[in-house]
């Protein structure tokens, strides 16, 4: 009994299976040494053959890697983590206070539509007034006298230049 007790208390060198992730106790398991010098430990033939067939241990349900990936067997607390709900917080946007925003939100759609149309109309009138001002400014600078003087200058330039067809060679 004492020998058995000392056997339990001494620390055992446990290996892990390279495929399944199970513990391999002394005098158990299979060792595979590759040509490149790397040594693989397997708990049984099933895991060795799966490794040799290049199976992915994350896709095979009995391996430790699969169970870890899919969160199987992990002891979870009875009380789940509480997700904190984001508290809605309203604040003013640049150029508009919170009161203005709330007042606009509480308006009836007809009122809002009428305000929008009025704003569009006033903007169109401003554009029209701007266009008319530009046109009147152009008329002031572009009078008949200015046009006539420009025509005279153009004609004098035409006379000073020799005509191409009548030039003797």
């Amino acid at each position: 009994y004492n020998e058995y007790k000392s056997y339990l208390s001494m620390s055992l060198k446990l290996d892990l299976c390279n495929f399944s992730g199970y513990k391999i106790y002394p005098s158990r398991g299979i060792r595979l040494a590759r040509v490149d010098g790397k040594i693989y430990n397997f708990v049984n033939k099933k895991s060795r053959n799966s490794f040799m067939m290049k199976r992915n241990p994350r896709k095979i349900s009995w391996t430790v890697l699969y169970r870890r990936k899919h969160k199987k067997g992990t002891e979870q607390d009875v009380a789940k983590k509480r997700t904190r709900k984001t508290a809605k917080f309203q604040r003013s946007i640049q150029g508009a206070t919170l009161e203005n925003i709330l007042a606009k939100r509480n308006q009836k759609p007809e009122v809002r539509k009428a305000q929008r149309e009025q704003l569009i109309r006033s903007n169109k009138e401003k554009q029209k007034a701007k266009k008319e001002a530009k046109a009147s400014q152009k008329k002031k600078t572009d009078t008949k006298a200015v046009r006539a003087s420009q025509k005279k200058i153009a004609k004098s330039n035409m006379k000073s230049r020799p005509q191409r067809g009548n030039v003797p060679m």
Side-chain angles (χ1 to χ4, degrees), residues 134-145:
K134 207 174 191 181
S136 65
Q137 187 74 5
K138 194 174 183 184
K139 278 185 180 178
K140 286 179 184 174
T141 57
D142 199 26
T143 57
K144 288 183 180 178

Side-chain angles (χ1 to χ4, degrees), residues 78-142:
V78 178
K80 289 184 179 178
K81 268 189 180 177
R82 289 181 184 170
T83 55
R84 194 191 303 178
K85 288 186 179 179
T86 54
K88 285 190 177 181
F89 182 72
Q90 293 180 327
R91 51 186 163 169
S92 58
I93 301 169
Q94 187 178 7
T97 61
L98 186 60
E99 291 82 32
N100 292 352
I101 295 169
L102 292 174
K104 262 192 185 158
R105 188 197 290 167
N106 296 333
Q107 275 181 349
K108 288 202 163 63
E110 299 87 28
V111 176
R112 201 178 301 135
K113 191 175 181 183
Q115 280 182 344
R116 190 182 304 124
E117 286 173 357
Q118 185 183 358
L119 190 71
I120 291 169
R121 220 177 298 122
S122 66
N123 283 344
K124 280 185 181 177
E125 287 172 6
K126 282 180 187 175
Q127 291 281 343
K128 201 173 186 182
K130 204 184 238 184
K131 227 178 197 178
E132 286 174 2
K134 207 174 191 181
S136 65
Q137 187 74 5
K138 194 174 183 184
K139 278 185 180 178
K140 286 179 184 174
T141 57
D142 199 26

Side-chain angles (χ1 to χ4, degrees), residues 39 48 72 90 93 116 129 153 166:
I39 295 171
R48 184 194 65 188
K72 304 283 184 190
Q90 293 180 327
I93 301 169
R116 190 182 304 124
I153 295 167
N166 301 340

Side-chain angles (χ1 to χ4, degrees), residues 141-157:
T141 57
D142 199 26
T143 57
K144 288 183 180 178
V146 174
R147 279 196 221 131
S149 65
Q150 285 177 348
K151 278 187 181 178
K152 284 181 186 175
I153 295 167
K155 281 185 179 178
S156 64
N157 284 345

Side-chain angles (χ1 to χ4, degrees), residues 154-164 167:
K155 281 185 179 178
S156 64
N157 284 345
M158 292 291 279
K159 287 179 182 176
S160 64
R161 197 172 358 141
Q163 291 180 342
R164 289 182 181 213
V167 178

